[in-house]
Amino acid sequence: MQTRFIPAYDTEKAGDCLRACRRIVEAHQRFNVPATFFIVGKRLEDEGSEYRSLLGDCPLFEIASHTYSHRILREHPWGPPAVGGAERIREVTLGKDTVEQVFGRPCFGIRPGYSFVDGLHGDPELVDAVASAGLRYVSSTAWGPDYSLPAPLAGPTTYEAEGHPDLWELPAHGWHDNVLKGYTFADGPRRLILWPMSFPGAIPIGPIQTPDEEFAINRQFIDGAVTLGLSYVSLIWHPWSLGRFDSSMRMLALTFQYVRDIGMDFATYADEWSRRVGAGG
Ligand SMILES: [Zn+2]
């Protein structure tokens, strides 16, 4: 199975994400490259018409959910306290409903705020809620062992053990770009890197300063995924952070050009889910 590159964006901050998405969309259209935008429901309540006109009619883009209001669905050592009961079910169902209402098309996937080491594995109540909402895939694995970074090059799994063999987990890989740049956790937890390191070439000595440095790190994960024969590789990008670092989106241009130069195809998460189902797992 050829490795594909999935550009994806956790779209969550008022104002800043929408502004950055305008530049991101320009880069995607210039390269004719698809993307998945995981969008927080509340952002769509406030800025839905802008997002709809920016992303809604372009066939390159999948719109998925980043929960309703970015509340945390499971305990996370670096995050705020998790919500439980009806509140966390609402984060799932209302997040999906808001995407569908604003964009007028089905929402197949969800990525929870912060994500986790093992995705939703071991939490059958939450997996039930996701499956009952009609979601087809979850992208909720984005950390290494002991909540370290970068996230490993892990392949898809199903939630069969939780009773939902048709629900897929599609992990994300590498750094969270906002952490790599020192924007998040600058004054918080610093215990993020494991020793021995899985990806020594992808651990800078401090927050990165340039889009070229970011691209050089991206390459490690892209090349690694190809070497491992993964079906896809997808980095963890946040529009607000990309825009704050370099509004010209040079990192995206370098990454898209590289992916194209080495002969990889691009895809969305929904494309990957279709491939999983078509392959019968
Ligand atoms: Zn988020």
Side-chain angles (χ1 to χ4, degrees), residues 10-12 38 40 66-67 70 111-115 178 238 240:
D10 293 3
T11 309
E12 58 199 21
F38 295 102
V40 166
H66 196 33
T67 71
H70 211 270
R111 170 170 292 170
Y114 281 70
S115 291
N178 50 323
H238 299 77
W240 63 266

Side-chain angles (χ1 to χ4, degrees), residues 6-276:
I6 302 179
Y9 302 93
D10 293 3
T11 309
E12 58 199 21
K13 276 201 201 300
D16 290 350
C17 275
L18 178 61
R19 255 189 305 283
C21 278
R22 296 191 192 286
R23 308 305 303 270
I24 290 168
V25 165
E26 286 170 12
H28 279 266
Q29 289 177 332
R30 192 160 74 248
F31 283 85
N32 194 34
V33 163
T36 298
F37 289 85
F38 295 102
I39 310 182
V40 166
K42 277 205 163 189
R43 296 291 79 73
L44 294 175
E45 285 181 352
D46 300 337
E47 301 168 307
S49 62
E50 289 91 342
Y51 276 112
R52 169 73 199 247
S53 62
L54 183 64
L55 307 173
D57 297 322
C58 180
L60 290 172
F61 302 138
E62 176 199 4
I63 315 300
S65 175
H66 196 33
T67 71
Y68 172 62
S69 65
H70 211 270
R71 290 199 175 91
I72 307 306
L73 304 184
R74 304 185 77 178
E75 291 303 333
H76 190 300
W78 315 141
V83 292
E87 187 73 1
R88 73 172 183 161
I89 307 300
R90 188 166 167 267
E91 285 293 314
V92 172
T93 54
L94 197 51
K96 174 179 187 279
D97 291 349
T98 312
V99 166
E100 294 185 338
Q101 281 159 19
V102 168
F103 287 91
R105 48 171 148 148
C107 171
F108 295 118
I110 185 169
R111 170 170 292 170
Y114 281 70
S115 291
F116 311 101
V117 173
D118 296 316
L120 308 188
H121 287 296
D123 192 337
E125 179 193 89
L126 185 53
V127 173
D128 274 347
V130 168
S132 303
L135 289 153
R136 312 300 178 86
Y137 74 83
V138 186
S139 180
S140 62
T141 303
W143 296 85
D146 293 333
Y147 280 90
S148 60
L149 288 177
L153 287 165
T157 57
T158 73
Y159 284 101
E160 183 169 13
E162 291 77 15
H164 292 282
D166 297 331
L167 183 66
W168 283 89
E169 168 64 37
L170 304 177
H173 309 119
W175 285 93
H176 299 214
D177 84 288
N178 50 323
V179 177
L180 186 59
K181 292 160 187 164
Y183 296 157
T184 302
F185 300 151
D187 302 315
R190 294 162 192 242
R191 186 172 55 79
L192 289 170
I193 295 167
L194 283 186
W195 186 85
M197 296 169 182
S198 306
F199 303 98
I203 314 286
I205 58 168
I208 59 165
Q209 304 296 325
T210 69
D212 295 67
E213 283 177 85
E214 187 172 12
F215 164 64
I217 290 170
N218 293 352
R219 265 187 70 167
Q220 311 258 338
F221 296 100
I222 296 167
D223 293 346
V226 172
T227 301
L228 289 171
L230 283 194
S231 61
Y232 74 91
V233 57
S234 187
L235 304 167
I236 306 151
W237 290 339
H238 299 77
W240 63 266
S241 173
L242 267 58
R244 181 166 152 189
F245 192 62
D246 172 34
S247 63
S248 79
M249 301 294 162
R250 175 172 166 78
M251 179 281 285
L252 292 185
L254 292 169
T255 303
F256 296 164
Q257 189 61 55
Y258 179 70
V259 167
R260 190 150 280 162
D261 287 347
I262 63 172
M264 282 173 77
D265 288 333
F266 294 90
T268 65
Y269 273 96
D271 293 334
E272 177 62 23
W273 168 75
S274 300
R275 180 148 94 171
R276 295 279 125 203

